[in-house]
Amino acid sequence: MSVSTSVSAIFINHSDYLPSILNLLNSLEKNNKNNKNNKIAIITDENVLSPYAQPLHDKLVTAGFVAKIFSFASGDNHKTRQTKELIEDQMFAQNFGRDTIVLAVGGGVVTDLAGFIAATFCRGIPYINLPTSLLAMVDASIGGKNGVNIPAGKNLIGTIYQPRGVLIDTKNLKTLPLCELKNGIVEMIKNGLVASAQYFDYLEKNYKKIITLDDHTITQAIHWSCEIKREIVEEDELENGKRRLLNLGHTVGHALEKISNFTLSHGEAVALGILTECHMAVQLKELDAKVLNRILKIFRDYALPLTFPNVPQLDAILDAMILDKKSLQGMARFVVIKEIGTPIAYEGAYCRNIEKNIIKDSLLWIKNDLLSDKSTKY
């Protein structure tokens, strides 16, 4: 199964990456006759080095390519400028230059970092994403966003630079820890909330099959999610409007990740963010409380922990949100939906400022009432 897109080619369920990689490499060489006999830089982290990156490296070398692995310590706290600089220096030391093609093998941290390296190395070289986590398959590897975390916040330094291909093998999910699987499911739910009530229904009705990785169901769910994101990105690649919809839950979610020093997983943080921001929409009388409870139920069906981090002052969360990418004039802005699958356009901005007291009330609801009976009787 494949998704046709001008942003990037997405192939789903390829049991062997090599034929698809070779096709992409041949296509790149035809389009750039000055760059023959490309060197392959495989960028990965220590978690996927042995099971995925090393076997791929060996196959490429056997096929006659010059390929090297550049690995770094796993985890979001290693997605930094320092790691980027270290890998770039290693690549130059190994005589990699303008004739390099990057293969990003790993989860979202790897694809974010490798994409940023590809965008700036020798002022831009091609790269291909080979996502190994569900989060990377449905979100991080698609759309060209890349970057690193800095002390001020998450993903604040980076570019939008499209991969030449995204190769997805759903069999990789069989080795994924359940907590990592849930990270990706949250992004799939988010895509349904902002773009497709039908897709949300599918995730709702098939949660048992999805969480147990039924082949047909998970493949269909991934394909559908990729298609939703592709359509939005192709309409607004540089995030001047509609692409902001993909940030539902991320204004609050990224702030929670930052203040927890990334001990809170991305999926759990975004789930809490979605609930917080939809609670704001209820306070604004844009969203019915019954819809909020339906959203809460699907997160519970997928057994998301939904544990609010220990934060002495809510103002710390508000301060962390100020540097969100949607912020304007020092004020955080939020995506608002009025129904599942129906966002509010706000004259093409697709987000709006919300009063501080409403934000605080919603954060208090998440912090104090979410795990109590009150949360189902809003």
Side-chain angles (χ1 to χ4, degrees):
M1 188 183 298
S2 66
V3 180
S4 175
T5 167
S6 61
V7 173
S8 60
I10 302 168
F11 305 88
I12 297 180
N13 265 351
H14 277 242
S15 57
D16 184 358
Y17 287 133
L18 192 59
S20 297
I21 291 172
L22 293 177
N23 287 337
L24 283 170
L25 293 176
N26 288 333
S27 174
L28 289 172
E29 287 195 347
K30 287 179 182 178
N31 293 333
N32 190 349
K33 295 180 179 179
N34 293 324
N35 281 357
K36 294 288 186 181
N37 303 317
N38 298 88
K39 294 180 178 179
I40 310 298
I42 300 173
I43 298 178
T44 190
D45 68 22
E46 59 188 15
N47 281 348
V48 297
L49 174 60
S50 295
Y52 301 115
Q54 189 66 55
L56 175 62
H57 166 271
D58 296 344
K59 289 180 180 180
L60 287 169
V61 170
T62 300
F65 288 91
V66 176
K68 297 286 185 182
I69 294 176
F70 300 91
S71 178
F72 62 96
S74 61
D76 219 34
N77 56 333
H78 294 289
K79 194 176 77 173
T80 64
R81 287 178 286 198
Q82 291 76 18
T83 304
K84 178 177 184 284
E85 180 181 358
L86 178 66
I87 292 175
E88 290 165 340
D89 288 347
Q90 291 174 348
M91 288 170 66
F92 283 122
Q94 294 284 335
N95 296 320
F96 280 73
R98 186 91 181 124
D99 58 345
T100 301
I101 295 175
V102 168
L103 299 185
V105 183
V109 171
V110 171
T111 58
D112 279 1
L113 186 64
F116 193 15
I117 290 170
T120 57
F121 191 83
C122 294
R123 298 187 179 180
I125 55 176
Y127 76 110
I128 299 168
N129 281 330
L130 289 78
T132 60
S133 71
L134 183 59
L135 176 61
M137 290 177 187
V138 300
D139 187 56
S141 68
I142 302 168
K145 277 189 179 181
N146 57 64
V148 295
N149 305 326
I150 62 173
K154 185 178 171 76
N155 297 329
L156 291 180
I157 305 292
T159 72
I160 296 177
Y161 185 70
Q162 297 299 338
R164 301 302 177 91
V166 181
L167 307 182
I168 296 174
D169 181 3
T170 57
K171 288 192 296 300
N172 291 338
L173 300 177
K174 299 291 185 182
T175 61
L176 204 65
L178 184 58
C179 60
E180 290 295 332
L181 189 67
K182 291 176 182 179
N183 284 336
I185 288 170
V186 171
E187 294 289 352
M188 293 158 68
I189 291 170
K190 175 212 67 184
N191 284 348
L193 288 171
V194 300
S196 175
Q198 186 180 5
Y199 181 53
F200 186 91
D201 291 346
Y202 182 84
L203 297 176
E204 203 173 39
K205 293 173 183 175
N206 291 283
Y207 74 91
K208 291 182 180 179
K209 290 183 177 181
I210 289 172
I211 204 71
T212 56
L213 297 177
D214 174 76
D215 286 342
H216 174 76
T217 309
I218 191 65
T219 299
Q220 177 64 23
I222 292 171
H223 181 272
W224 201 338
S225 188
C226 290
E227 183 69 14
I228 288 171
K229 184 163 185 179
R230 177 193 66 81
E231 290 179 358
I232 291 173
V233 171
E234 288 192 344
E235 186 173 335
D236 177 28
E237 182 179 3
L238 299 181
E239 200 173 13
N240 294 314
K242 194 170 185 178
R243 187 168 181 173
R244 292 172 182 149
L245 293 177
L246 298 172
N247 279 289
L248 174 67
H250 286 64
T251 305
V252 173
H254 282 170
L256 293 177
E257 283 184 276
K258 179 179 182 292
I259 64 172
S260 74
N261 197 27
F262 300 105
T263 58
L264 195 66
S265 74
H266 179 74
E268 188 176 357
V270 171
L272 291 168
I274 289 172
L275 290 168
T276 304
E277 293 175 26
C278 288
H279 188 274
M280 295 179 203
V282 172
Q283 291 195 75
L284 293 168
K285 302 189 184 305
E286 298 286 5
L287 185 70
D288 192 288
K290 292 180 180 178
V291 178
L292 173 61
N293 286 330
R294 186 179 170 194
I295 297 167
L296 176 57
K297 182 180 183 301
I298 195 172
F299 285 138
R300 286 178 166 165
D301 286 342
Y302 282 102
L304 267 296
L306 302 178
T307 304
F308 196 84
N310 184 20
V311 184
Q313 298 290 332
L314 291 183
D315 284 342
I317 302 175
L318 298 178
D319 291 342
M321 289 191 295
I322 291 174
L323 290 177
D324 179 79
K325 295 182 292 295
K326 297 180 298 301
S327 293
L328 194 64
Q329 297 178 344
M331 296 182 66
R333 296 191 294 173
F334 302 86
V335 175
V336 179
I337 62 170
K338 59 182 178 181
E339 297 282 353
I340 290 174
T342 307
I344 301 177
Y346 293 118
E347 299 181 340
Y350 290 94
C351 59
R352 58 160 287 180
N353 297 328
I354 293 179
E355 292 80 0
K356 191 174 181 179
N357 64 303
I358 291 178
I359 300 172
K360 277 194 168 183
D361 284 347
S362 293
L363 287 170
L364 285 170
W365 175 76
I366 291 287
K367 182 179 181 182
N368 299 329
D369 298 340
L370 181 61
L371 299 180
S372 72
D373 289 339
K374 297 178 184 178
S375 64
T376 58
K377 299 176 182 177
Y378 181 81

